[in-house]
Amino acid sequence: MTGHRPRTPEAERSRRWFMNKALLAGGVAAMATMTGCSSGSDSTSATASSSAAPNGMPSGGPGGGGGGGGMGPGASEVKYADFKGLTTDGTIVDDLYSVHSTDVSTDKVVKAAQAFLDGLTTAERKASVFDVDDDEWLKWSNVDGYERQGARMGDLTEKQRNLGYALLGAALSADGLTQSRNIMKLNGYLGEYSGGGKETLTEGAYFFTFMGTPSTSQPWGFQYEGHHLAINYFVLGDQVVMTPTFMGSEPTSATYNGEKITLFRTETKAGLTLLRSLTAAQRKKVVSTETKAGDNFKAGAGQDNAQIAYQGLAAKGWTEAQRNNLLDLVRVYVGNLDDGHAEVKMTEVEDHLDETYFYWIGETDDDSAFYYRVHSPVVLIEYDAQSPIAYETQNRNPSQHHIHTIIRTPNGGDYGVDLLKLHLAHDH
């Protein structure tokens, strides 16, 4: 344990103040309209809503969808000690995970994390390091104005920031790093486009926190988060869990500082490719009759103990080509993790492929706004083309201009919780 100071009552009040302010500013009905919340949900978590940014411009939360997206921990107040993880019915499937060697070294990410921490000032480091089982793990949000802890990239020196990017480069694949940086850049674009959120709608409004001490043998991890980006990265020996990882953007394509950036084309295409490879009979079971809402997200921030039933069609009995398309879709999301550990995760996914469900809401044209979910005992992926919050709001219909995605490890795997429990039970 690090002996980090407990969160102060002032900080807790600050987070709750932000959420209360959002509700008071517009009222529950206005918030529901703003986020496109629907009344029905297969999640039993508490209803959550989006918020208004301090400057009055709406801030998009990681989803509403009848309570599935959430603003963050203030919506449900799940504590680390009470963490169960995503389940289908409230019952955890046992014996899915184990402490073992993957033969994929974590030395590079350990060294990069230690170098970043060594580059911080004493005050910055004290504000950024927590115990390995701290509630801070669960306290992430997609909302841009959410009160965050840790080292803010925009407040660091160029040398410190470069050490931070080096850490991300060690933890992520090349594609994952590029996607993360482009999300940050389009957040800066949105601030310029909207003329508001000068402190939050910038490239610099992203924060590092660390849980535990970087080590090749003892459990530790880090969190990197801000608007439309939240990476939770847990390490135990040579095992890595990088979930929940939330990635989104509004807009998803724009020119920023002379650079043309387009996001989520691969995620969009891979979903359509899988759907179109199914037979007509299979599609009837996969595609819901439900009309696409402005927000269909279920497993966003604050939904760590959500119950989400399987929907759609399982891959058992699919053709080899269809199963390969499903694996290709999962690999798009898992592939944001460094290459070696991504392959370890894909093996885990393949072991449960027969139990992997594919579900779809919305139209199926190349430019349609749609939602899809991939769900098995060991992985949950959501893709949601949502209604605009701050970009091209003259049309409130959902579109590919505003996309949210997430990948999670159900049944207690998120944040490496299950691995930490096993480690403490057997190694200590």
Side-chain angles (χ1 to χ4, degrees):
M1 301 299 180
T2 65
H4 187 281
R5 82 281 184 266
R7 180 180 301 286
T8 65
E10 290 78 10
E12 293 291 356
R13 283 197 297 271
S14 179
R15 290 176 182 239
R16 291 183 177 86
W17 169 86
F18 173 76
M19 302 178 75
N20 290 335
K21 178 183 177 184
L23 290 172
L24 290 172
V28 175
M31 304 289 278
T33 299
M34 188 169 67
T35 59
C37 293
S38 58
S39 59
S41 174
D42 54 32
S43 170
T44 60
S45 297
T47 298
S49 50
S50 189
S51 72
N55 65 3
M57 188 191 72
S59 297
M71 280 183 66
S76 58
E77 293 296 342
V78 176
K79 303 295 184 181
Y80 191 94
D82 301 322
F83 175 86
K84 177 181 287 188
L86 297 183
T87 61
T88 59
D89 59 4
T91 302
I92 296 175
V93 178
D94 294 325
D95 301 323
L96 291 172
Y97 315 112
S98 65
V99 176
H100 63 276
S101 176
T102 65
D103 293 323
V104 180
S105 176
T106 54
D107 289 356
K108 185 177 179 181
V109 74
V110 170
K111 291 177 181 178
Q114 192 60 60
F116 176 77
L117 285 169
D118 289 345
L120 298 179
T121 66
T122 300
E124 289 166 343
R125 184 164 180 158
K126 183 178 180 181
S128 304
V129 180
F130 298 77
D131 290 335
V132 72
D133 59 351
D134 198 277
D135 290 343
E136 189 63 29
W137 273 119
L138 281 65
K139 295 188 175 185
W140 61 271
S141 174
N142 177 54
V143 176
D144 59 291
Y146 184 68
E147 181 75 15
R148 294 180 167 90
Q149 304 296 307
R152 182 180 183 274
M153 290 290 270
D155 295 336
L156 301 180
T157 66
E158 182 178 3
K159 181 178 180 180
Q160 289 173 319
R161 282 195 299 274
N162 286 338
L163 289 171
Y165 291 134
L167 171 54
L168 291 179
L172 306 176
S173 65
D175 287 343
L177 178 61
T178 297
Q179 176 126 311
S180 298
R181 288 292 290 116
N182 283 342
I183 288 170
M184 296 169 63
K185 291 173 183 177
L186 288 189
N187 189 51
Y189 171 87
L190 184 61
E192 294 179 359
Y193 173 90
S194 66
K198 297 301 184 184
E199 295 298 317
T200 60
L201 297 179
T202 72
E203 285 189 66
Y206 293 84
F207 296 71
F208 272 110
T209 53
F210 293 80
M211 286 54 150
T213 301
S215 169
T216 57
S217 59
Q218 296 304 305
W220 70 282
F222 73 87
Q223 184 179 82
Y224 185 72
E225 63 129 347
H227 189 217
H228 279 142
L229 180 64
I231 298 168
N232 291 283
Y233 195 97
F234 173 85
V235 182
L236 176 60
D238 62 8
Q239 289 181 270
V240 168
V241 177
M242 198 176 85
T243 63
T245 289
F246 177 102
M247 292 185 173
S249 189
E250 183 189 20
T252 54
S253 183
T255 298
Y256 178 67
N257 288 342
E259 179 184 3
K260 177 66 175 181
I261 299 170
T262 300
L263 292 169
F264 303 112
R265 286 280 178 84
T266 304
E267 292 83 350
T268 301
K269 183 178 180 180
L272 287 166
T273 297
L274 172 56
L275 184 72
R276 291 169 179 172
S277 72
L278 301 179
T279 67
Q282 289 172 321
R283 285 197 208 184
K284 285 185 178 180
K285 296 180 179 180
V286 168
V287 180
S288 172
T289 58
E290 180 182 350
T291 300
K292 176 71 181 77
D295 179 349
N296 292 96
F297 224 54
K298 301 295 182 188
Q303 303 302 313
D304 291 300
N305 286 353
Q307 296 177 28
I308 302 176
Y310 290 131
Q311 291 180 276
L313 181 66
K316 185 176 183 179
W318 288 14
T319 67
E320 182 179 0
Q322 291 169 338
R323 290 163 71 89
N324 285 338
N325 285 337
L326 174 57
L327 288 171
D328 287 345
L329 173 56
V330 175
R331 191 173 284 109
V332 171
Y333 294 85
V334 173
N336 287 316
L337 178 60
D338 71 88
D339 295 342
H341 289 103
E343 287 307 310
V344 172
K345 179 62 180 180
M346 287 305 301
T347 298
E348 185 178 83
V349 170
E350 288 186 59
D351 288 343
H352 295 273
L353 199 61
D354 282 351
E355 307 163 85
T356 304
Y357 285 74
F358 185 50
Y359 178 62
W360 188 283
I361 300 173
E363 301 297 326
T364 60
D365 294 331
D366 287 353
D367 58 354
S368 294
F370 51 77
Y371 165 95
Y372 65 72
R373 185 192 312 152
V374 176
H375 190 184
S376 85
V378 297
V379 69
L380 182 141
I381 292 167
E382 289 187 289
Y383 167 107
D384 194 20
Q386 301 193 342
S387 293
I389 297 291
Y391 181 76
E392 296 191 356
T393 54
Q394 65 274 15
N395 181 355
R396 289 292 182 179
N397 294 324
S399 76
Q400 291 182 22
H401 290 307
H402 187 192
I403 292 174
H404 286 184
T405 71
I406 198 166
I407 179 170
R408 281 184 174 268
T409 307
N411 295 297
D414 278 338
Y415 312 104
V417 173
D418 193 71
L419 290 184
L420 180 59
K421 288 179 179 178
L422 291 170
H423 168 75
L424 294 176
H426 298 290
D427 296 345
H428 290 272

